[in-house]
Amino acid sequence: MEYTCHSEYKKLESVCIKTVEEAFIDEEKLNREWAALNFLSKPDMIKAKEEYKEFKNLLSKEIPFLHCFPKSDAVTIDSIYCRDAGIATDYGMIICNMGKLTRSKEPVAQMKYFEENNISILGIIESPGTLEGGDVAWLDKNTLAVGHTYRTNSSGIRQLKELLAPYEIEVIVVALPHYKGHTDVFHLMSILSPVDKDLAVIYSPLMPISFRNELLDRGFNFVEVPESEFESMGCNVLAIAPRKCIMVAGNPHTENALRKSACTVFTYEGREISYKGGGGPTCLTRPIKRKN
């Protein structure tokens, strides 16, 4: 399979998702898992299905190849946030090792799917290393930023660098703050969403000064997310093409700022599938190929 996934903003051509039906499965599973996985409250299954249908329809209209990860009894409802278990590169997938113990079976399930569908595997992050896909973001073809967080540790970052070294890819390590601690979902892409080669949605209060300056030095302009829209995932924006974005509804300041920056913006209701589990549109998708 041809890969072109050294970007967070080029036109999406192939993406994997995991639907509510395949991830949440039924009321019994939701009842059993939501609290232990630190969801804010139990998702409403009927509303979640409606929200996901809206989200999937947005993707279907814009992306030629939409693939669905299958149901698996080995994983939890967190598997709906399918970005985290793998990283896409031009040279194959990197299979992660999850920092959240309850998600430890997701990478193996995704690897099985990739192998069955002739999607090459570049490498696997091994214990004691941890690495989650939400902590990595391509800045350009030769530069990958990775967050050092409670979900992604030093060993995982070292292994990532080793896997990418033969391809002369620079890995920039971004040390993120404690914020709400071990149990919170706080990835690099919680505070950074590139939407074009020179435009990124960011939340500055939690961004290290050195990294913010690095982005400025690289020519990025910023759409700044206000404090009032951070928890509602105003900073979690999926670019489906340069300056063409999908985001969670209910973040009007960020949405308007994107439009003023010449972006086309689509929104979906995400209270059940995004807000309660802490995963916006980037988390709900595992891009496989973007147009070169």
Side-chain angles (χ1 to χ4, degrees), residues 2-291:
E2 180 187 357
Y3 293 88
T4 306
C5 217
H6 55 256
S7 168
E8 305 297 343
Y9 58 81
K10 291 187 177 181
K11 180 170 172 49
L12 259 177
E13 294 194 342
S14 180
V15 67
C16 290
I17 59 173
K18 192 163 189 183
T19 66
V20 167
E21 288 82 358
E22 305 305 315
F24 290 179
I25 301 179
D26 55 32
E27 292 287 348
E28 181 182 354
K29 188 173 180 67
L30 277 178
N31 285 329
R32 187 171 63 248
E33 295 182 0
W34 74 265
L37 295 175
N38 301 312
F39 276 58
L40 295 179
S41 61
K42 179 191 168 188
D44 181 294
M45 180 68 87
I46 294 175
K47 291 179 180 178
K49 288 179 178 179
E50 292 172 353
E51 288 180 1
Y52 204 95
K53 182 179 179 181
E54 179 187 13
F55 177 68
K56 186 178 178 182
N57 284 342
L58 285 176
L59 296 177
S60 298
K61 290 175 182 177
E62 301 292 334
I63 301 168
F65 301 102
L66 195 60
H67 316 280
C68 294
F69 288 119
K71 185 185 303 181
S72 170
D73 294 332
V75 302
T76 70
I77 61 174
D78 260 339
S79 63
I80 196 170
Y81 305 120
C82 57
R83 179 185 176 96
D84 291 329
I87 298 166
T89 79
D90 290 356
Y91 314 100
M93 300 299 301
I94 295 174
I95 305 302
C96 293
N97 188 32
M98 308 297 274
K100 186 176 182 179
L101 187 60
T102 50
R103 302 189 69 181
S104 63
K105 302 293 181 61
E106 289 180 43
V108 174
Q110 283 199 10
M111 183 166 67
K112 182 174 184 291
Y113 175 86
F114 295 143
E115 291 173 339
E116 289 174 349
N117 289 274
N118 299 313
I119 299 174
S120 298
I121 306 298
L122 175 61
I124 301 171
I125 304 299
E126 304 281 1
S127 183
T130 61
L131 180 71
E132 295 193 0
D135 271 325
V136 301
W138 290 98
L139 302 184
D140 58 42
K141 181 177 181 178
N142 300 308
T143 313
L144 184 68
V146 57
H148 187 177
T149 69
Y150 283 122
R151 303 292 183 87
T152 295
N153 67 14
S154 297
S155 176
I157 293 169
R158 176 184 55 77
Q159 293 177 54
L160 175 67
K161 289 180 175 180
E162 290 172 353
L163 287 168
L164 295 176
Y167 309 102
E168 298 183 347
I169 292 170
E170 179 186 7
V171 177
I172 296 175
V173 180
V174 185
L176 294 184
H178 171 77
Y179 191 44
K180 293 183 179 180
H182 295 266
T183 61
D184 189 54
V185 184
F186 182 49
H187 287 133
L188 175 63
M189 293 200 77
S190 300
I191 59 170
L192 169 71
S193 293
V195 294
D196 202 349
K197 66 182 183 298
D198 56 358
L199 184 67
V201 182
I202 70 167
Y203 183 63
S204 287
L206 290 175
M207 182 170 283
I209 293 170
S210 60
F211 183 59
R212 192 177 186 279
N213 286 339
E214 176 75 25
L215 294 173
L216 288 170
D217 290 343
R218 288 173 176 269
F220 278 92
N221 296 302
F222 298 146
V223 170
E224 296 271 6
V225 176
E227 182 178 357
S228 61
E229 294 184 3
F230 177 65
E231 295 291 346
S232 54
M233 280 169 290
C235 201
N236 193 300
V237 179
L238 175 67
I240 52 178
R243 301 198 185 220
K244 197 170 190 179
C245 313
I246 297 176
M247 65 183 300
V248 180
N251 295 290
H253 179 94
T254 307
E255 181 181 346
N256 290 335
L258 280 164
R259 295 187 190 281
K260 288 179 180 178
S261 296
C263 294
T264 301
V265 183
F266 304 101
T267 64
Y268 68 98
E269 292 297 325
R271 181 165 183 80
E272 308 301 323
I273 63 173
S274 289
Y275 178 70
K276 289 184 177 180
T282 64
C283 309
L284 290 167
T285 51
R286 175 61 276 164
I288 300 297
K289 182 181 178 183
R290 290 180 183 266
K291 190 173 182 179

